[in-house]
């Protein structure tokens, strides 16, 4: 048993009616056990902070909503956080710290390389871990049956971008894949695999590292290959450097990126960026195809005093709390095995990030649609929404 603790009520905010967790309940057997504690152990400083801080802010909004409705099983939700500083030497210690403080469930950094070690520490303590990593090893296969990934994954991104590129009539893509993270490596790999599966051939490919100051080698290779579209599988800040240098070199071809570019916090580094398209979990500019998400972002801005840096990560944070609240309520308990069983029964569960399915064999909702956004003069606009058609033998759940 984890120690009980005193708790404070969180100030309620307006509930998002379309996505209310529905977790208010009459007093149950655990009413005197204190709050249900969700621990967030993530990179609140360092390069992951632009992803992990919005996750926490989304979680806080959801916790306020659940508590305003009476909590879960008559108990309030409480959030505690530890900072791994995006330092690989501190991830496990930060994860253990959140468990030592009494976390009943753990949310990790939204990346396999940074979040994976924290999820393992949680699982070793018989605690469910949630995250939104692109790397496909963040989940059941790479960590274990108590780890759930709410992002469709980088194989989905790469294959979806290949399908989109083919439909746009491109014939000679050039792939630049950042080797710093598993996420970006897999996006590049799966773009190429799906492109070849569709009958195409790539004009060329190059690697990149996020800390590189110069992209001269990549630019030279692109200039020699003369592709009609460039795939930039990277992430800010180094990914912004790559884009700026590609454009400064006169390479005006359309560029396809990944969801790590989501938002506009980095676009000042690439003045006038246009013809750049990425997938994302949502859209910030009021043009999201799901009306409730537009309402959510307006509320987020009001609650925090600033617009979110990106669309995807606050949605994931809110959805983590939604999912846990519903699973705990249906289980009638916070016991790990009971909550795990309910998460494994999710079938098109209507979370704010989108319909989510888990099974005992699959903890990555790879079939969930992604929003496509194209940047023009640095401003992203939704151009469509689509699901991946094929993962070449990997069964989506």
């Amino acid at each position: 048993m984890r120690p009980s603790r005193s708790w404070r009520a969180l100030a309620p905010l307006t509930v998002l009616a379309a996505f209310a967790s529905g977790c208010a309940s009459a007093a149950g057997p655990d009413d005197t056990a204190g709050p249900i504690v969700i621990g967030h152990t993530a990179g609140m400083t360092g390069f992951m902070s632009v992803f992990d801080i919005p996750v926490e802010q989304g979680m806080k909004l959801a916790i306020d909503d659940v508590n305003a409705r009476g909590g879960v099983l008559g108990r309030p939700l409480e959030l505690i956080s530890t900072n791994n500083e995006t330092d690989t030497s501190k991830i496990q210690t930060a994860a253990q710290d959140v468990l030592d403080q009494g976390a009943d469930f753990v949310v990790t950094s939204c990346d396999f390389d940074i979040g994976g070690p924290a999820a393992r520490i949680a699982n070793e303590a018989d605690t469910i871990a949630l995250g939104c990593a692109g790397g496909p090893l963040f989940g059941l296969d790479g960590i274990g049956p108590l780890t759930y990934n709410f992002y469709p994954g980088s194989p989905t991104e790469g294959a979806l971008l290949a399908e989109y590129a083919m439909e746009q009539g491109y014939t000679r893509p050039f792939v630049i894949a950042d080797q710093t993270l598993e996420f970006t490596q897999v996006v590049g790999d799966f773009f190429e695999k799906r492109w070849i599966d569709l009958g195409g051939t790539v004009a060329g490919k190059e690697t990149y590292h996020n800390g590189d100051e110069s992209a001269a080698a990549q630019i030279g290779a692109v200039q020699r290959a003369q592709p009609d579209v460039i795939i930039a599988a990277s992430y800010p800040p180094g990914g912004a450097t790559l884009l700026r240098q590609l454009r400064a070199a006169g390479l005006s071809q359309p560029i396809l990126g990944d969801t790590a570019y989501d938002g506009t916090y980095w676009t000042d580094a690439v003045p006038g960026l246009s013809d750049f398209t990425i997938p994302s979990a949502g859209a910030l500019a009021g043009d999201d195809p799901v009306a409730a998400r537009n309402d959510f972002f307006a509320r987020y801005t009001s609650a925090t005093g600033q617009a979110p840096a990106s669309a995807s990560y606050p949605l994931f944070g809110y959805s983590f709390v939604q999912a846990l609240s519903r699973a705990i309520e249906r289980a009638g308990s916070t016991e790990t095995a009971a909550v795990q069983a309910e998460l494994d029964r999710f079938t098109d569960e209507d979370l704010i990030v989108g319909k989510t399915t888990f099974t005992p064999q699959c903890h990555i909702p790879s079939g969930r649609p992604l929003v496509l956004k194209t940047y023009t003069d640095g401003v992203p606009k939704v151009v469509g929404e689509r699901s991946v058609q094929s993962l070449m033998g990997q069964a989506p759940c």
Side-chain angles (χ1 to χ4, degrees):
M1 293 288 293
R2 294 187 178 86
S4 61
R5 61 184 61 228
S6 61
W7 59 276
R8 59 179 180 82
L10 298 176
L13 295 172
T14 303
V15 177
L16 287 169
F19 288 94
S21 64
C23 292
S25 69
D30 293 330
D31 289 350
T32 61
I36 297 169
V37 180
I38 301 174
H40 188 209
T41 179
M44 308 308 283
T45 55
F47 79 81
M48 283 300 297
S49 63
V50 296
F51 311 116
D52 289 342
I53 288 175
V55 166
E56 180 154 310
Q57 290 169 328
M59 291 170 65
K60 288 178 178 178
L61 291 178
I63 287 171
D64 285 345
D65 282 351
V66 172
N67 287 345
R69 294 172 60 85
V72 183
L73 302 178
R75 299 167 60 186
L77 301 183
E78 180 181 323
L79 177 67
I80 58 174
S81 300
T82 60
N83 180 15
N84 64 37
E85 302 176 31
T86 318
D87 183 337
T88 54
S89 70
K90 298 179 179 179
I91 295 169
Q92 293 176 316
T93 300
Q96 187 60 54
D97 187 23
V98 81
L99 290 169
D100 291 344
Q101 292 183 56
D104 297 294
F105 305 93
V106 170
V107 173
T108 75
S109 284
C110 279
D111 176 74
F112 174 74
D113 298 279
I114 309 299
R120 290 190 188 95
I121 292 293
N123 286 186
E124 288 170 5
D126 193 36
T127 301
I128 289 170
L130 311 180
C132 51
L137 291 178
F138 189 97
L140 189 153
D141 293 339
I143 299 175
L146 297 182
T147 294
Y148 292 82
N149 193 344
F150 282 60
Y151 189 68
S154 42
T156 295
E157 278 195 60
L160 185 149
L161 287 171
E163 293 167 359
Y164 173 76
M166 186 69 72
E167 289 181 7
Q168 294 300 302
Y170 303 128
T171 60
R172 293 179 49 77
F174 192 102
V175 180
I176 303 174
D178 196 320
Q179 302 298 293
T180 315
L181 297 175
E182 186 209 15
F183 162 59
T184 48
Q185 293 177 49
V186 175
V187 170
D189 288 346
F190 264 77
F191 178 94
E192 184 179 1
K193 288 178 181 178
R194 180 61 174 140
W195 185 260
I196 293 171
D197 183 58
L198 289 167
T201 56
V202 298
K205 54 185 178 179
E206 277 284 333
T207 60
Y208 178 74
H209 290 273
N210 210 263
D212 291 349
E213 294 183 3
S214 172
Q218 293 82 0
I219 289 168
V222 173
Q223 288 172 330
R224 290 189 294 273
Q226 290 296 302
D228 55 1
V229 63
I230 300 167
I231 316 308
S234 187
Y235 60 94
T241 300
L242 173 63
L243 296 179
R244 182 178 67 251
Q245 293 189 28
L246 288 170
R247 288 297 192 235
L251 295 168
S252 59
Q253 294 97 326
I255 302 176
L256 306 182
D258 51 63
T259 196
Y261 287 101
D262 187 22
T264 57
Y265 64 94
W266 56 271
T267 53
D268 285 349
V270 195
L273 177 65
S274 294
D275 221 349
F276 176 62
T277 301
I278 65 165
S280 172
L284 295 174
D287 57 345
D288 194 293
V290 177
R293 294 205 288 249
N294 294 318
D295 295 339
F296 170 79
F297 290 125
R299 177 186 163 199
Y300 178 106
T301 301
S302 176
T304 64
Q306 59 183 4
S310 66
S312 298
Y313 300 97
L315 294 174
F316 286 123
Y318 196 96
S319 295
F320 294 149
V321 176
Q322 284 183 304
L324 283 175
S325 298
R326 294 177 190 180
I328 294 166
E329 182 72 22
R330 293 166 189 172
S333 169
T334 60
E335 290 299 316
T336 296
V339 176
Q340 175 190 10
E342 293 300 330
L343 288 170
D344 283 346
R345 293 187 180 101
F346 274 18
T347 302
D348 286 337
E349 189 72 27
D350 199 8
L351 306 178
I352 197 166
V353 76
K355 294 186 184 299
T356 298
T357 295
F358 295 128
T359 72
Q361 296 77 36
C362 183
H363 288 182
I364 300 176
S366 51
R368 188 198 294 136
L370 290 170
V371 173
L372 285 171
K373 299 184 288 192
T374 296
Y375 287 69
T376 302
D377 290 330
V379 178
K381 182 178 179 180
V382 172
V383 294
E385 184 180 40
R386 62 183 298 138
S387 300
V388 69
Q389 297 170 12
S390 172
L391 286 174
M392 296 156 292
Q394 291 194 19
C397 67

